[in-house]
Amino acid sequence: MRNSGERDKDHVHEKMCVHAVGRCCGYLLDINIEYFGTDELQFYISERSVHLKRLRLFSCYEISDEGLSEAASKLPFSKSAKFRYVPFRNTPSKP
């Protein structure tokens, strides 16, 4: 799920994602969240997605390190998962 990159002030995308995860009845296999993820959403997904194989988060600035760590420890693939953090550069790189 992706929004245009604007702040989701009314949490419309999050509510829609919660609804979709709930309708999967635990059989969610793959989810992609861009620009609107929160700690609460992460926890909801990890509690209700026992068959999840892939989770991709992109520019989810409302997810804390602690929230991600707690949610990841509950995911079925967490023992074999690889997490990568790529920080942004404040200055342009030199050729």
Side-chain angles (χ1 to χ4, degrees):
M1 300 185 78
R2 177 177 196 254
N3 76 6
S4 63
E6 296 177 13
R7 277 287 263 185
D8 188 15
K9 297 176 190 126
D10 297 326
H11 299 278
V12 173
H13 291 90
E14 185 173 349
K15 290 174 187 173
M16 188 169 34
C17 187
V18 165
H19 184 72
V21 170
R23 290 187 51 91
C24 290
C25 300
Y27 288 95
L28 181 68
L29 297 176
D30 187 336
I31 190 164
N32 182 42
I33 299 171
E34 298 184 17
Y35 299 108
F36 68 92
T38 63
D39 285 342
E40 293 79 18
L41 179 59
Q42 277 294 112
F43 186 74
Y44 184 85
I45 292 169
S46 67
E47 288 288 309
R48 288 162 180 81
S49 303
V50 297
H51 298 289
L52 191 66
K53 301 287 184 212
R54 181 181 165 273
L55 169 67
R56 181 177 182 267
L57 304 170
F58 179 78
S59 296
C60 297
Y61 301 113
E62 294 183 37
I63 295 178
S64 67
D65 293 343
E66 296 81 17
L68 180 59
S69 178
E70 183 179 340
S73 69
K74 296 176 187 233
L75 292 171
F77 67 80
S78 64
K79 289 187 175 45
S80 63
K82 295 179 183 174
F83 295 94
R84 183 175 69 176
Y85 172 71
V86 181
F88 291 101
R89 292 181 182 256
N90 289 335
T91 58
S93 57
K94 296 178 183 178

Coordinates of all heavy atoms in Angstrom, one line a residue:
M1 N 0.8 -1.2 0.0 CA 0.0 0.0 0.0 C 0.9 1.2 0.0 O 1.9 1.3 0.7 CB -0.9 0.0 1.2 CG -1.8 -1.2 1.3 SD -2.9 -1.1 2.7 CE -4.1 0.0 2.0
R2 N 0.5 2.2 -0.7 CA 1.3 3.4 -0.9 C 0.4 4.6 -1.0 O -0.6 4.6 -1.6 CB 2.2 3.3 -2.1 CG 3.0 4.5 -2.4 CD 3.9 4.2 -3.7 NE 4.9 5.1 -3.7 CZ 5.0 6.1 -4.6 NH1 4.0 6.3 -5.4 NH2 6.0 7.0 -4.6
N3 N 0.9 5.7 -0.3 CA 0.2 7.0 -0.6 C 1.1 7.8 -1.4 O 2.2 7.4 -1.7 CB -0.3 7.6 0.7 CG 0.8 8.3 1.5 OD1 1.9 8.4 1.1 ND2 0.4 8.7 2.7
S4 N 0.8 9.1 -1.7 CA 1.5 9.9 -2.5 C 2.8 10.5 -1.9 O 3.5 11.3 -2.5 CB 0.6 11.1 -3.0 OG 0.2 11.9 -1.9
G5 N 3.0 10.2 -0.6 CA 4.1 10.7 0.1 C 3.7 11.9 1.1 O 4.5 12.3 1.8
E6 N 2.5 12.3 1.0 CA 2.0 13.3 1.9 C 1.6 12.7 3.2 O 1.3 11.5 3.3 CB 0.8 14.0 1.3 CG 1.0 14.7 0.0 CD -0.2 15.3 -0.6 OE1 -1.2 15.4 0.1 OE2 -0.2 15.7 -1.8
R7 N 1.6 13.5 4.3 CA 1.2 13.0 5.6 C -0.2 12.6 5.6 O -1.1 13.2 5.0 CB 1.3 14.1 6.6 CG 2.6 14.4 7.2 CD 3.3 13.7 8.1 NE 3.5 13.7 9.5 CZ 4.4 12.9 9.9 NH1 5.0 12.1 9.1 NH2 4.6 12.9 11.2
D8 N -0.5 11.4 6.2 CA -1.8 10.9 6.2 C -2.4 11.3 7.5 O -2.5 10.6 8.5 CB -1.7 9.3 6.1 CG -3.1 8.7 6.0 OD1 -4.1 9.4 5.7 OD2 -3.1 7.4 6.2
K9 N -2.9 12.5 7.6 CA -3.4 13.2 8.8 C -4.6 12.4 9.4 O -4.7 12.3 10.6 CB -3.8 14.6 8.6 CG -2.6 15.5 8.2 CD -3.0 16.9 7.8 CE -1.9 17.6 7.2 NZ -2.2 18.2 5.9
D10 N -5.4 11.9 8.6 CA -6.6 11.2 9.1 C -6.4 9.7 9.2 O -7.3 8.9 9.6 CB -7.8 11.4 8.2 CG -8.2 12.9 8.1 OD1 -8.1 13.6 9.2 OD2 -8.6 13.4 7.1
H11 N -5.2 9.2 9.0 CA -4.8 7.8 9.0 C -5.7 6.9 8.2 O -6.0 5.8 8.5 CB -4.9 7.3 10.5 CG -3.9 8.1 11.4 ND1 -2.6 7.7 11.4 CD2 -4.1 9.1 12.2 CE1 -2.0 8.6 12.3 NE2 -2.9 9.4 12.7
V12 N -6.1 7.5 7.0 CA -7.0 6.7 6.1 C -6.3 5.5 5.6 O -6.8 4.4 5.6 CB -7.5 7.6 4.9 CG1 -8.2 6.8 3.9 CG2 -8.3 8.8 5.4
H13 N -5.0 5.6 5.2 CA -4.3 4.5 4.6 C -4.1 3.5 5.7 O -4.1 2.3 5.4 CB -3.0 5.0 4.1 CG -3.1 5.8 2.8 ND1 -3.3 7.1 2.8 CD2 -3.2 5.4 1.5 CE1 -3.4 7.6 1.6 NE2 -3.4 6.5 0.8
E14 N -3.8 3.9 6.9 CA -3.6 3.0 8.0 C -4.8 2.2 8.3 O -4.8 1.0 8.5 CB -3.1 3.7 9.3 CG -2.8 2.8 10.4 CD -2.1 3.5 11.6 OE1 -1.8 4.7 11.5 OE2 -2.0 2.8 12.6
K15 N -6.0 2.8 8.3 CA -7.3 2.2 8.6 C -7.6 1.2 7.5 O -8.0 0.1 7.7 CB -8.4 3.2 8.7 CG -8.3 4.1 9.9 CD -9.4 5.1 9.9 CE -9.2 6.1 11.0 NZ -10.1 7.3 10.9
M16 N -7.3 1.5 6.2 CA -7.5 0.6 5.1 C -6.6 -0.6 5.2 O -7.0 -1.7 4.9 CB -7.2 1.4 3.8 CG -7.6 0.6 2.6 SD -7.6 1.5 1.0 CE -6.3 2.7 1.1
C17 N -5.3 -0.4 5.6 CA -4.4 -1.5 5.8 C -4.8 -2.4 6.9 O -4.8 -3.6 6.7 CB -3.0 -0.9 6.1 SG -1.7 -2.1 6.1
V18 N -5.3 -1.9 8.0 CA -5.8 -2.7 9.1 C -7.0 -3.5 8.6 O -7.0 -4.7 9.0 CB -6.2 -1.8 10.3 CG1 -7.0 -2.6 11.3 CG2 -5.0 -1.2 11.0
H19 N -7.9 -3.0 7.9 CA -9.0 -3.7 7.3 C -8.5 -4.8 6.4 O -9.0 -6.0 6.5 CB -9.9 -2.7 6.6 CG -11.2 -3.4 6.1 ND1 -12.2 -3.8 6.9 CD2 -11.5 -3.7 4.8 CE1 -13.1 -4.3 6.2 NE2 -12.8 -4.3 4.9
A20 N -7.6 -4.5 5.6 CA -7.1 -5.6 4.6 C -6.4 -6.7 5.4 O -6.6 -7.9 5.1 CB -6.1 -4.9 3.6
V21 N -5.6 -6.4 6.4 CA -4.9 -7.4 7.2 C -5.9 -8.2 7.9 O -5.8 -9.5 7.9 CB -3.9 -6.7 8.1 CG1 -3.3 -7.8 9.1 CG2 -2.7 -6.1 7.4
G22 N -6.9 -7.6 8.5 CA -7.9 -8.4 9.2 C -8.7 -9.3 8.2 O -9.0 -10.5 8.6
R23 N -9.0 -8.9 7.0 CA -9.7 -9.7 6.1 C -8.9 -10.9 5.6 O -9.4 -11.9 5.1 CB -10.1 -8.9 4.9 CG -11.3 -7.9 5.2 CD -11.9 -7.2 4.0 NE -12.3 -8.1 3.0 CZ -13.5 -8.7 2.8 NH1 -14.4 -8.4 3.7 NH2 -13.8 -9.4 1.8
C24 N -7.6 -10.9 5.8 CA -6.7 -12.0 5.4 C -6.8 -13.2 6.3 O -6.3 -14.3 6.0 CB -5.2 -11.5 5.3 SG -5.0 -10.4 3.9
C25 N -7.3 -13.0 7.5 CA -7.5 -14.0 8.5 C -6.3 -14.8 8.8 O -6.2 -16.0 9.0 CB -8.6 -15.0 8.0 SG -10.2 -14.3 7.7
G26 N -5.1 -14.1 8.9 CA -3.9 -14.7 9.3 C -3.1 -15.2 8.1 O -2.0 -15.7 8.3
Y27 N -3.6 -15.1 6.9 CA -2.9 -15.7 5.7 C -2.2 -14.7 4.9 O -1.9 -14.9 3.7 CB -3.9 -16.5 4.9 CG -4.3 -17.8 5.6 CD1 -5.4 -17.9 6.4 CD2 -3.4 -18.9 5.5 CE1 -5.7 -19.1 7.1 CE2 -3.7 -20.1 6.2 CZ -4.9 -20.1 7.0 OH -5.2 -21.3 7.6
L28 N -2.0 -13.5 5.4 CA -1.2 -12.5 4.7 C 0.2 -13.0 4.4 O 0.9 -13.5 5.3 CB -1.2 -11.2 5.5 CG -0.4 -10.0 4.9 CD1 -1.2 -9.5 3.6 CD2 -0.3 -8.9 5.9
L29 N 0.6 -12.9 3.2 CA 2.0 -13.5 2.8 C 3.0 -12.4 2.5 O 4.2 -12.5 2.8 CB 1.8 -14.3 1.6 CG 1.0 -15.6 1.7 CD1 0.9 -16.3 0.4 CD2 1.6 -16.5 2.8
D30 N 2.5 -11.2 2.0 CA 3.4 -10.2 1.5 C 2.7 -8.8 1.7 O 1.6 -8.7 1.4 CB 3.7 -10.4 0.0 CG 4.7 -9.5 -0.6 OD1 4.9 -8.4 0.0 OD2 5.3 -9.9 -1.6
I31 N 3.5 -7.9 2.3 CA 2.9 -6.5 2.4 C 4.0 -5.5 2.2 O 5.1 -5.7 2.6 CB 2.2 -6.4 3.8 CG1 1.4 -5.0 3.8 CG2 3.2 -6.4 4.9 CD1 0.3 -5.0 4.9
N32 N 3.6 -4.4 1.5 CA 4.4 -3.3 1.2 C 3.8 -2.1 1.8 O 2.7 -1.7 1.4 CB 4.6 -3.3 -0.3 CG 5.6 -2.2 -0.7 OD1 6.6 -1.9 -0.1 ND2 5.2 -1.5 -1.8
I33 N 4.4 -1.3 2.6 CA 3.9 -0.1 3.2 C 4.8 1.0 2.9 O 6.0 1.0 3.3 CB 3.7 -0.3 4.8 CG1 2.7 -1.4 5.0 CG2 3.2 1.0 5.4 CD1 2.6 -1.8 6.5
E34 N 4.3 2.1 2.4 CA 5.1 3.2 2.0 C 4.4 4.5 2.6 O 3.3 4.8 2.3 CB 5.2 3.4 0.5 CG 5.9 2.2 -0.1 CD 6.2 2.3 -1.6 OE1 6.1 3.5 -2.1 OE2 6.4 1.3 -2.3
Y35 N 5.2 5.3 3.3 CA 4.9 6.6 3.8 C 3.9 6.7 5.0 O 3.6 7.8 5.4 CB 4.4 7.5 2.7 CG 5.4 7.7 1.6 CD1 5.3 7.1 0.4 CD2 6.6 8.5 1.8 CE1 6.2 7.3 -0.6 CE2 7.5 8.7 0.8 CZ 7.3 8.1 -0.4 OH 8.2 8.3 -1.4
F36 N 3.3 5.6 5.4 CA 2.2 5.8 6.4 C 2.3 4.8 7.6 O 1.4 4.8 8.4 CB 0.8 5.7 5.8 CG 0.5 4.3 5.3 CD1 -0.2 3.4 6.1 CD2 0.8 4.0 4.0 CE1 -0.5 2.2 5.6 CE2 0.4 2.7 3.5 CZ -0.2 1.8 4.3
G37 N 3.3 4.0 7.7 CA 3.4 3.0 8.7 C 3.6 3.6 10.1 O 4.3 4.6 10.3
T38 N 3.1 3.0 11.2 CA 3.2 3.4 12.5 C 3.6 2.2 13.4 O 3.4 1.0 12.9 CB 1.9 4.0 13.1 OG1 0.9 3.0 13.1 CG2 1.5 5.2 12.3
D39 N 4.0 2.4 14.6 CA 4.3 1.3 15.5 C 3.0 0.5 15.8 O 3.1 -0.8 15.8 CB 4.8 1.8 16.9 CG 6.2 2.3 16.8 OD1 7.0 2.0 15.9 OD2 6.6 3.1 17.7
E40 N 1.9 1.1 15.9 CA 0.6 0.4 16.2 C 0.3 -0.5 15.0 O -0.2 -1.6 15.2 CB -0.5 1.4 16.4 CG -0.3 2.2 17.7 CD 0.6 3.3 17.6 OE1 1.0 3.8 16.5 OE2 1.1 3.8 18.7
L41 N 0.5 0.0 13.8 CA 0.2 -0.8 12.6 C 1.1 -2.0 12.5 O 0.7 -3.1 12.2 CB 0.3 0.0 11.3 CG 0.0 -0.7 10.0 CD1 -1.4 -1.3 10.0 CD2 0.2 0.3 8.8
Q42 N 2.4 -1.8 12.8 CA 3.4 -2.9 12.8 C 3.0 -3.9 13.8 O 3.1 -5.1 13.5 CB 4.8 -2.3 13.2 CG 5.5 -1.7 12.1 CD 5.9 -2.7 11.1 OE1 5.4 -2.7 10.0 NE2 6.7 -3.7 11.5
F43 N 2.6 -3.5 15.0 CA 2.2 -4.5 16.0 C 1.0 -5.3 15.5 O 0.9 -6.5 15.7 CB 1.9 -3.8 17.3 CG 1.7 -4.7 18.5 CD1 2.7 -5.4 19.0 CD2 0.4 -4.9 18.9 CE1 2.4 -6.3 20.1 CE2 0.1 -5.8 20.0 CZ 1.2 -6.5 20.5
Y44 N 0.0 -4.6 15.0 CA -1.2 -5.2 14.5 C -0.9 -6.3 13.4 O -1.4 -7.4 13.5 CB -2.2 -4.2 13.9 CG -3.5 -4.7 13.5 CD1 -4.5 -4.9 14.4 CD2 -3.7 -5.1 12.1 CE1 -5.8 -5.4 14.0 CE2 -4.9 -5.6 11.7 CZ -5.9 -5.8 12.6 OH -7.1 -6.3 12.2
I45 N -0.1 -5.9 12.5 CA 0.3 -6.9 11.4 C 1.1 -8.1 12.0 O 0.8 -9.2 11.7 CB 1.2 -6.2 10.4 CG1 0.4 -5.1 9.6 CG2 1.8 -7.2 9.4 CD1 1.2 -4.2 8.7
S46 N 2.0 -7.8 12.9 CA 2.8 -8.9 13.5 C 1.9 -9.9 14.3 O 2.2 -11.1 14.4 CB 3.9 -8.4 14.3 OG 3.5 -7.7 15.5
E47 N 0.9 -9.4 15.0 CA 0.0 -10.2 15.8 C -1.0 -11.0 14.9 O -1.4 -12.1 15.4 CB -0.8 -9.3 16.7 CG 0.0 -8.7 17.9 CD 0.4 -9.8 18.9 OE1 -0.5 -10.5 19.4 OE2 1.6 -9.8 19.2
R48 N -1.3 -10.6 13.7 CA -2.3 -11.2 12.9 C -1.8 -11.8 11.6 O -2.7 -12.2 10.8 CB -3.4 -10.2 12.7 CG -4.2 -9.9 13.9 CD -5.0 -8.6 13.8 NE -5.7 -8.4 15.0 CZ -5.2 -7.8 16.1 NH1 -4.0 -7.5 16.1 NH2 -6.0 -7.6 17.2
S49 N -0.5 -11.9 11.4 CA 0.0 -12.4 10.2 C 1.0 -13.6 10.4 O 2.2 -13.4 10.2 CB 0.6 -11.3 9.4 OG -0.3 -10.2 9.2
V50 N 0.5 -14.7 10.8 CA 1.3 -15.8 11.2 C 2.0 -16.5 10.0 O 3.0 -17.2 10.1 CB 0.6 -16.9 12.0 CG1 0.1 -16.3 13.3 CG2 -0.6 -17.5 11.2
H51 N 1.6 -16.2 8.8 CA 2.2 -16.7 7.5 C 2.9 -15.7 6.7 O 3.3 -16.0 5.6 CB 1.1 -17.4 6.7 CG 0.3 -18.5 7.3 ND1 0.9 -19.7 7.6 CD2 -0.9 -18.6 7.8 CE1 0.0 -20.5 8.2 NE2 -1.1 -19.8 8.4
L52 N 3.2 -14.6 7.3 CA 3.8 -13.5 6.5 C 5.2 -13.9 6.1 O 6.0 -14.4 6.9 CB 3.9 -12.2 7.4 CG 4.4 -11.0 6.7 CD1 3.3 -10.5 5.6 CD2 4.6 -9.8 7.7
K53 N 5.5 -13.7 4.8 CA 6.9 -14.1 4.3 C 7.7 -12.9 4.0 O 8.9 -12.9 4.0 CB 6.7 -14.9 3.0 CG 5.9 -16.2 3.1 CD 6.7 -17.2 3.8 CE 6.0 -18.5 3.9 NZ 6.2 -19.3 5.0
R54 N 7.0 -11.7 3.7 CA 7.8 -10.6 3.3 C 7.1 -9.3 3.8 O 5.9 -9.1 3.7 CB 7.9 -10.5 1.7 CG 8.7 -9.3 1.2 CD 8.7 -9.3 -0.3 NE 9.1 -8.0 -0.8 CZ 8.3 -7.0 -1.0 NH1 7.0 -7.1 -0.8 NH2 8.7 -5.9 -1.5
L55 N 7.9 -8.4 4.4 CA 7.4 -7.1 4.9 C 8.4 -6.1 4.3 O 9.6 -6.2 4.6 CB 7.4 -7.1 6.4 CG 7.2 -5.8 7.0 CD1 5.8 -5.3 6.7 CD2 7.4 -5.9 8.5
R56 N 7.9 -5.1 3.6 CA 8.7 -4.0 3.1 C 8.1 -2.7 3.6 O 7.0 -2.4 3.5 CB 8.7 -4.0 1.6 CG 9.5 -2.9 1.0 CD 9.6 -2.9 -0.5 NE 10.4 -1.9 -1.0 CZ 10.0 -0.7 -1.4 NH1 8.8 -0.4 -1.3 NH2 10.9 0.2 -1.9
L57 N 9.0 -1.9 4.2 CA 8.6 -0.6 4.8 C 9.5 0.4 4.0 O 10.7 0.2 3.9 CB 8.9 -0.5 6.3 CG 8.2 -1.6 7.1 CD1 8.7 -1.5 8.5 CD2 6.7 -1.4 7.1
F58 N 8.9 1.5 3.6 CA 9.6 2.5 2.9 C 9.1 3.9 3.4 O 7.9 4.2 3.3 CB 9.4 2.4 1.4 CG 10.1 3.5 0.6 CD1 11.4 3.4 0.3 CD2 9.4 4.6 0.1 CE1 12.1 4.3 -0.4 CE2 10.1 5.6 -0.6 CZ 11.4 5.4 -0.9
S59 N 10.0 4.7 3.9 CA 9.8 6.0 4.4 C 8.6 6.0 5.4 O 7.7 6.9 5.3 CB 9.4 6.9 3.2 OG 10.5 7.1 2.3
C60 N 8.7 5.1 6.3 CA 7.7 5.1 7.4 C 8.3 5.7 8.6 O 8.8 5.1 9.5 CB 7.3 3.6 7.7 SG 6.5 2.8 6.3
Y61 N 8.2 7.0 8.6 CA 8.9 7.8 9.6 C 8.2 7.8 11.0 O 8.8 8.2 12.0 CB 9.0 9.3 9.2 CG 9.7 9.4 7.9 CD1 9.1 9.8 6.7 CD2 11.1 9.1 7.8 CE1 9.7 9.9 5.5 CE2 11.8 9.2 6.6 CZ 11.1 9.6 5.5 OH 11.8 9.7 4.3
E62 N 7.0 7.2 11.1 CA 6.4 7.1 12.4 C 6.6 5.7 13.1 O 6.0 5.4 14.1 CB 4.9 7.4 12.3 CG 4.6 8.8 11.9 CD 3.1 9.1 11.8 OE1 2.4 8.6 12.7 OE2 2.7 9.9 10.9
I63 N 7.5 4.9 12.5 CA 7.9 3.7 13.1 C 9.2 3.9 13.9 O 10.2 4.2 13.3 CB 8.0 2.5 12.1 CG1 6.7 2.3 11.4 CG2 8.5 1.3 12.7 CD1 6.7 1.2 10.4
S64 N 9.2 3.6 15.2 CA 10.4 3.7 16.0 C 11.2 2.5 15.9 O 10.8 1.4 15.5 CB 10.0 4.0 17.4 OG 9.4 2.9 18.0
D65 N 12.5 2.6 16.3 CA 13.4 1.4 16.4 C 12.8 0.4 17.3 O 12.8 -0.8 17.0 CB 14.7 1.8 16.9 CG 15.5 2.7 15.9 OD1 15.1 2.8 14.7 OD2 16.5 3.4 16.3
E66 N 12.3 0.8 18.4 CA 11.7 -0.1 19.4 C 10.5 -0.8 18.9 O 10.3 -2.0 19.1 CB 11.3 0.6 20.7 CG 12.5 1.2 21.5 CD 13.0 2.5 20.9 OE1 12.2 3.2 20.2 OE2 14.1 2.9 21.2
G67 N 9.6 0.0 18.2 CA 8.4 -0.6 17.6 C 8.7 -1.7 16.5 O 8.1 -2.7 16.5
L68 N 9.7 -1.4 15.7 CA 10.1 -2.3 14.7 C 10.7 -3.5 15.3 O 10.4 -4.7 14.9 CB 11.1 -1.7 13.7 CG 11.6 -2.5 12.6 CD1 10.4 -3.0 11.7 CD2 12.6 -1.8 11.7
S69 N 11.5 -3.4 16.3 CA 12.2 -4.5 16.9 C 11.1 -5.4 17.6 O 11.2 -6.6 17.4 CB 13.2 -4.0 18.0 OG 13.8 -5.0 18.7
E70 N 10.2 -4.8 18.3 CA 9.2 -5.6 19.0 C 8.3 -6.4 17.9 O 8.0 -7.6 18.1 CB 8.3 -4.7 19.8 CG 7.2 -5.5 20.6 CD 6.4 -4.6 21.5 OE1 6.8 -3.5 21.8 OE2 5.3 -5.0 21.8
A71 N 7.9 -5.7 16.9 CA 7.0 -6.3 15.9 C 7.8 -7.4 15.1 O 7.3 -8.5 14.9 CB 6.5 -5.3 14.9
A72 N 9.1 -7.1 14.8 CA 9.9 -8.1 14.0 C 10.1 -9.4 14.8 O 10.2 -10.5 14.3 CB 11.2 -7.5 13.6
S73 N 10.2 -9.3 16.2 CA 10.5 -10.5 17.0 C 9.3 -11.4 16.9 O 9.4 -12.6 17.2 CB 10.8 -10.1 18.4 OG 9.6 -9.5 19.1
K74 N 8.1 -10.9 16.6 CA 6.9 -11.7 16.5 C 6.6 -12.3 15.2 O 5.7 -13.1 15.0 CB 5.7 -10.9 17.0 CG 5.8 -10.5 18.5 CD 4.7 -9.6 18.9 CE 5.0 -9.1 20.2 NZ 3.9 -9.3 21.2
L75 N 7.3 -11.8 14.2 CA 7.0 -12.2 12.8 C 7.6 -13.6 12.5 O 8.7 -13.9 13.0 CB 7.5 -11.2 11.8 CG 6.8 -9.9 11.8 CD1 7.5 -8.9 10.9 CD2 5.4 -10.0 11.3
P76 N 6.9 -14.5 11.8 CA 7.4 -15.8 11.6 C 8.7 -15.9 10.8 O 9.5 -16.8 11.1 CB 6.3 -16.5 10.7 CG 5.5 -15.3 10.1 CD 5.7 -14.2 11.1
F77 N 9.1 -15.0 10.0 CA 10.3 -15.0 9.3 C 11.4 -14.3 10.0 O 12.6 -14.2 9.5 CB 10.1 -14.4 7.9 CG 9.9 -12.9 7.9 CD1 10.9 -12.0 8.0 CD2 8.6 -12.4 7.7 CE1 10.6 -10.6 8.0 CE2 8.3 -11.1 7.8 CZ 9.4 -10.2 7.9
S78 N 11.2 -13.8 11.2 CA 12.2 -12.9 11.8 C 13.6 -13.6 12.1 O 14.6 -13.0 12.2 CB 11.7 -12.3 13.1 OG 11.4 -13.3 14.0
K79 N 13.6 -14.9 12.2 CA 14.8 -15.6 12.5 C 15.7 -15.6 11.2 O 16.9 -15.7 11.3 CB 14.5 -17.0 12.9 CG 14.0 -17.1 14.3 CD 13.8 -18.5 14.8 CE 13.4 -18.6 16.3 NZ 12.3 -17.8 16.7
S80 N 15.1 -15.5 10.1 CA 16.0 -15.5 8.8 C 15.9 -14.2 8.1 O 16.4 -14.1 7.0 CB 15.5 -16.6 7.9 OG 14.1 -16.4 7.5
A81 N 15.3 -13.2 8.7 CA 15.2 -11.9 8.0 C 16.4 -11.1 8.1 O 17.3 -11.3 9.0 CB 14.0 -11.1 8.7
K82 N 16.6 -10.3 7.1 CA 17.7 -9.3 7.1 C 17.1 -7.9 7.1 O 16.3 -7.6 6.3 CB 18.5 -9.5 5.8 CG 19.2 -10.9 5.8 CD 20.0 -11.0 4.5 CE 20.6 -12.4 4.4 NZ 21.3 -12.6 3.1
F83 N 17.6 -7.1 8.0 CA 17.1 -5.7 8.1 C 18.3 -4.8 7.7 O 19.4 -5.0 8.1 CB 16.7 -5.4 9.5 CG 15.5 -6.2 9.9 CD1 15.6 -7.4 10.6 CD2 14.2 -5.8 9.6 CE1 14.5 -8.2 11.0 CE2 13.1 -6.5 10.0 CZ 13.3 -7.7 10.6
R84 N 18.0 -3.8 6.9 CA 19.0 -2.9 6.4 C 18.5 -1.5 6.6 O 17.4 -1.2 6.3 CB 19.2 -3.2 4.9 CG 20.3 -2.3 4.4 CD 20.6 -2.7 3.0 NE 19.5 -2.3 2.1 CZ 19.4 -2.4 0.8 NH1 20.4 -2.9 0.2 NH2 18.4 -2.0 0.1
Y85 N 19.4 -0.7 7.2 CA 19.1 0.7 7.4 C 20.0 1.5 6.5 O 21.2 1.4 6.5 CB 19.3 1.1 8.8 CG 19.2 2.6 9.1 CD1 17.9 3.2 9.0 CD2 20.3 3.3 9.4 CE1 17.8 4.6 9.2 CE2 20.2 4.7 9.6 CZ 19.0 5.3 9.5 OH 18.9 6.6 9.7
V86 N 19.4 2.3 5.6 CA 20.2 3.2 4.7 C 19.9 4.6 5.1 O 18.8 5.2 4.7 CB 19.8 2.9 3.3 CG1 20.7 3.7 2.3 CG2 20.0 1.4 3.0
P87 N 20.8 5.3 5.8 CA 20.6 6.7 6.1 C 20.7 7.6 4.9 O 21.4 7.3 3.9 CB 21.7 7.0 7.1 CG 22.8 6.0 6.8 CD 22.1 4.8 6.2
F88 N 20.0 8.7 5.0 CA 20.1 9.8 3.9 C 21.3 10.6 4.1 O 21.7 10.9 5.3 CB 18.9 10.7 4.0 CG 17.6 10.0 3.5 CD1 16.7 9.5 4.5 CD2 17.3 9.7 2.2 CE1 15.5 8.9 4.1 CE2 16.2 9.1 1.8 CZ 15.3 8.7 2.8
R89 N 21.9 11.1 3.1 CA 23.0 12.0 3.2 C 22.5 13.4 3.2 O 21.6 13.8 2.5 CB 23.9 11.8 1.9 CG 24.7 10.5 1.9 CD 25.5 10.6 0.6 NE 26.2 9.3 0.5 CZ 27.5 9.2 0.8 NH1 28.2 10.2 1.2 NH2 28.1 8.0 0.6
N90 N 23.1 14.2 4.0 CA 22.8 15.6 4.1 C 23.5 16.4 3.0 O 23.1 17.5 2.7 CB 23.1 16.2 5.5 CG 22.2 15.7 6.5 OD1 21.0 15.3 6.2 ND2 22.6 15.7 7.8
T91 N 24.6 15.9 2.6 CA 25.4 16.6 1.6 C 25.5 15.7 0.3 O 25.5 14.5 0.5 CB 26.8 17.0 2.1 OG1 27.5 15.7 2.4 CG2 26.7 17.9 3.2
P92 N 25.6 16.3 -0.8 CA 25.7 15.5 -2.0 C 27.1 14.8 -2.0 O 28.1 15.3 -1.6 CB 25.6 16.5 -3.2 CG 25.7 17.8 -2.6 CD 25.5 17.7 -1.1
S93 N 27.0 13.6 -2.6 CA 28.3 12.8 -2.6 C 29.2 13.4 -3.7 O 28.7 13.9 -4.8 CB 28.0 11.3 -2.9 OG 27.3 11.2 -4.1
K94 N 30.5 13.3 -3.6 CA 31.4 13.8 -4.5 C 31.8 12.7 -5.5 O 32.0 11.6 -5.1 CB 32.7 14.4 -3.8 CG 32.3 15.6 -2.9 CD 33.5 16.1 -2.2 CE 33.1 17.2 -1.3 NZ 34.2 17.7 -0.5
P95 N 32.0 13.1 -6.8 CA 32.3 12.0 -7.8 C 33.8 11.6 -7.6 O 34.6 12.1 -7.0 CB 32.1 12.7 -9.1 CG 31.9 14.2 -8.9 CD 31.7 14.3 -7.4

